[in-house]
Amino acid sequence: ALTKDGLTLYFASNRPLSPGAALHNDIWVAHRECLECSFGEPTNLGAPVNLPGNESAPVLSRDEHWLFILSDRSGGMGSNDIWAAYRGNVNDDFAWQAPVNLGAGVNGPGFDGGAAYFENQGGEAQLFFNKSPLTTPLGGDIYVSTQNADGSWGTAVAVDELNTPGTDQRPSISHSGLDIYFFSDRAGGSGGLDLWGATREEVSAPFGTPVNLGTGINTSVAEGHPFIYSHGNVEKLFFVRNLGTPTAINWDVFVTTRTRAGRGEN
């Protein structure tokens, strides 16, 4: 996840905190001085965001006061749930309060994760995410929950036009709400997991048929976890690619850029 100015990057990594330390996913943060600059050395967010279990799939609310994460910490409703942490100072990466569970409207007994926050300017905020009845993300579908006036999240419904009998996960929706990206193992891809995208004419309309993002992005290995970032007419799609083998998972972060006239988002 990127901040609106594109200078702060939140991501998950199982790199050890110290030599010989146990490996588990934590949320890390890195900074850069300009949009074309390299990111500096990442820093672990620490507690209360990170606990001894697994935390991953970070995403920020539009105002950057809320950080949504996937976590298997105690107190949840299933194997993995979506949690949200609040901070008052959006310029302080280490001011996050203890995450709270988003409740039964979003989370269930199976695997819930990969949230994407959409600030719907024509209505209530929405959270797109993947939900699976299993204790792993395999076989998951994309759902959406609408935020209630009291801040709670309503009962999620499946986004049927994006889903298949296979795995459809980790949606990322553009600021306009007209473009959505996710990864899937559906037929017609280049490998086991590919990145796909879909568009719609207006936020009240269903998405069109998803389209594979093509061989410039997708390869015979797995690609996943897209994040779309727009600044003016430049769009950057961050994603991860598995550079290991099936028995040696090694996900690295990649980015691809395109220019789209008239987008005007940031």
Side-chain angles (χ1 to χ4, degrees):
L2 278 175
T3 51
K4 286 184 291 185
D5 61 12
L7 303 183
T8 301
L9 174 70
Y10 286 83
F11 66 100
S13 176
N14 69 349
R15 65 190 67 192
L17 282 170
S18 59
L23 298 181
H24 56 85
N25 283 321
D26 275 348
I27 309 299
W28 297 69
V29 63
H31 299 273
R32 60 182 175 181
E33 295 297 322
C34 69
L35 289 177
E36 302 306 323
C37 296
S38 299
F39 284 100
E41 187 70 18
T43 303
N44 189 289
L45 284 191
V49 171
N50 293 321
L51 293 181
N54 287 291
E55 283 74 39
S56 62
V59 68
L60 293 162
S61 63
R62 186 66 182 167
D63 63 12
E64 300 177 6
H65 283 292
W66 289 94
L67 175 68
F68 300 89
I69 62 171
L70 159 67
S71 178
D72 61 0
R73 66 187 62 205
S74 62
M77 306 184 68
S79 62
N80 289 267
D81 282 356
I82 300 175
W83 300 68
Y86 179 82
R87 64 178 176 182
N89 182 359
V90 298
N91 297 311
D92 188 346
D93 292 310
F94 302 96
W96 298 105
Q97 298 174 12
V100 295
N101 191 285
L102 293 195
V106 171
N107 297 311
F111 187 102
D112 305 289
Y117 180 88
F118 173 49
E119 184 180 293
N120 184 4
Q121 297 183 359
E124 296 82 3
Q126 294 180 314
L127 200 70
F128 291 79
F129 62 100
N130 54 271
K131 175 183 282 289
S132 172
L134 307 175
T135 57
T136 71
L138 297 177
D141 281 337
I142 296 173
Y143 281 69
V144 61
S145 171
T146 299
Q147 192 168 31
N148 299 315
D150 63 0
S152 64
W153 292 93
T155 301
V157 295
V159 187
D160 290 331
E161 66 269 24
L162 301 180
N163 296 321
T164 65
T167 293
D168 306 290
Q169 295 185 54
R170 194 67 198 277
S172 178
I173 190 165
S174 64
H175 175 49
S176 69
L178 303 183
D179 304 289
I180 194 166
Y181 300 89
F182 58 96
F183 71 89
S184 176
D185 63 357
R186 66 186 63 199
S190 302
L193 293 171
D194 274 2
L195 300 186
W196 296 72
T199 62
R200 58 186 176 183
E201 293 297 320
E202 55 187 11
V203 297
S204 60
F207 288 100
T209 302
V211 175
N212 188 283
L213 297 193
T215 56
I217 294 175
N218 294 314
T219 66
S220 59
V221 299
E223 283 79 26
H225 300 276
F227 177 81
I228 186 65
Y229 172 75
S230 301
H231 187 83
N233 64 343
V234 175
E235 290 186 329
K236 293 181 179 291
L237 184 69
F238 291 78
F239 63 96
V240 299
R241 176 176 291 156
N242 179 16
L243 300 181
T245 66
T247 57
I249 302 301
N250 177 22
W251 297 92
D252 278 359
V253 181
F254 286 74
V255 62
T256 180
T257 303
R258 71 175 175 182
T259 300
R260 298 184 71 180
R263 299 301 290 179
E265 298 175 22
N266 55 45

